[in-house]
Amino acid sequence: MKRLFLSTLIAFCATAMHAQNIQMHYDFGRNIYSNEEDGRQKVTLTLEQFKADNWGSWFYFVDIDLSRHFTEGAYTEIAREFRLDGKSPFAAHLEYNGGLNRHGSFQQAALIGPAYNGHNSDFSNTYAIQLMYKRFFKSYDNTRAYNSAQLTGVWSLSFANKAVTFSGFMDFWRGEKANHHGQLVFLTEPQLWYNFTPHFSVGTEWEISNNFIFNTYNDKSFFVNPTIGMKWKM
């Protein structure tokens, strides 16, 4: 397993040479919730790319969670959109979510549905809304395949003569409790960046969630996990 994670890390770092941006975040979650999140990683390396083409666009990100002794996991989301025509803001959205961690794997899922995209004239402000059917797969013990749905919003806003960028996403989906009863899961990760140059930025990300963190310590389900980070744009 160690060899697998090392190979994964090397492969993704090589891919980063062609990525749109690379982010490094220091996570304060374990300092804030020392009991509920005592195993939470403190450092995350994120590789992210968006690429438009004649058919639509590709987007992916990979979060590689690092601890002092291990690569804790590598989680990825890969999305492909097909425009309905050259001018329509509507598109067909297909997506895969999954990855590996030190103990096995994340539960995998596939998503499909319509998307609505918008932007201003110079693409400095963009937004997207996606409503998707989501299928979870049995990926490891104590998981099962089930049907779900997800509503996603994505945005990026630049202001102060493009010196500041406010971006992020917001997800709502139907998850399942351990007894297989349904629950609404909420996750958003807004980011605020100060752009020192067109390539280098320093900022913060706030992971705000409900029913997302796996917590066996008590019944707490709502968490706010801030980070401080650096970003390099290619």
Side-chain angles (χ1 to χ4, degrees), residues 57-120:
S57 63
W58 283 100
F59 172 78
Y60 80 85
F61 76 81
V62 183
D63 282 343
I64 302 174
D65 295 328
L66 307 173
S67 66
R68 181 176 299 178
H69 303 291
F70 299 100
T71 299
E72 296 291 337
Y75 173 80
T76 185
E77 294 187 4
I78 305 170
R80 172 72 205 189
E81 286 197 354
F82 295 95
R83 288 197 307 268
L84 299 186
D85 63 51
K87 297 181 180 180
S88 174
F90 290 97
H93 184 101
L94 296 89
E95 185 175 327
Y96 164 81
N97 301 168
L100 300 173
N101 60 45
R102 186 159 58 91
H103 305 288
S105 68
F106 295 97
Q107 186 167 15
Q108 302 177 79
L111 302 89
I112 185 171
Y116 184 92
N117 304 302
H119 57 83
N120 62 355

Side-chain angles (χ1 to χ4, degrees), residues 201-231:
S201 306
V202 173
T204 182
E205 175 183 275
W206 290 63
E207 181 191 275
I208 305 169
S209 67
N210 192 56
N211 292 326
F212 177 69
I213 302 294
F214 184 68
N215 172 26
T216 59
Y217 183 77
N218 55 28
D219 294 330
K220 183 176 177 59
S221 62
F222 181 80
F223 292 87
V224 179
N225 293 296
T227 76
I228 185 169
M230 298 182 296
K231 177 168 65 172

Side-chain angles (χ1 to χ4, degrees), residues 15-167:
T15 304
M17 296 301 293
H18 305 284
Q20 187 179 40
N21 70 75
I22 307 172
Q23 304 172 26
M24 181 73 80
H25 291 269
Y26 183 88
D27 192 299
F28 294 97
R30 196 164 70 182
N31 302 96
I32 300 171
Y33 308 104
S34 58
N35 294 317
E36 294 89 347
E37 296 190 305
D38 62 337
R40 186 178 178 89
Q41 82 291 338
K42 289 192 173 183
V43 178
T44 298
L45 173 69
T46 297
L47 313 178
E48 186 178 71
Q49 183 180 35
F50 172 85
K51 183 178 181 180
D53 55 37
N54 293 333
W55 295 90
S57 63
W58 283 100
F59 172 78
Y60 80 85
F61 76 81
V62 183
D63 282 343
I64 302 174
D65 295 328
L66 307 173
S67 66
R68 181 176 299 178
H69 303 291
F70 299 100
T71 299
E72 296 291 337
Y75 173 80
T76 185
E77 294 187 4
I78 305 170
R80 172 72 205 189
E81 286 197 354
F82 295 95
R83 288 197 307 268
L84 299 186
D85 63 51
K87 297 181 180 180
S88 174
F90 290 97
H93 184 101
L94 296 89
E95 185 175 327
Y96 164 81
N97 301 168
L100 300 173
N101 60 45
R102 186 159 58 91
H103 305 288
S105 68
F106 295 97
Q107 186 167 15
Q108 302 177 79
L111 302 89
I112 185 171
Y116 184 92
N117 304 302
H119 57 83
N120 62 355
S121 59
D122 65 354
F123 288 83
S124 59
N125 298 332
T126 62
Y127 66 89
I129 301 171
Q130 302 148 10
L131 179 60
M132 297 170 287
Y133 163 75
K134 188 173 188 177
R135 175 69 175 180
F136 284 96
F137 302 103
K138 179 177 175 60
S139 304
Y140 53 90
D141 291 343
N142 302 319
T143 64
R144 71 185 191 105
Y146 66 93
N147 299 317
S148 180
Q150 179 169 307
L151 175 65
T152 293
V154 185
W155 72 89
S156 181
L157 306 173
S158 295
F159 47 93
N161 198 26
K162 298 184 180 180
V164 181
T165 301
F166 177 54
S167 60

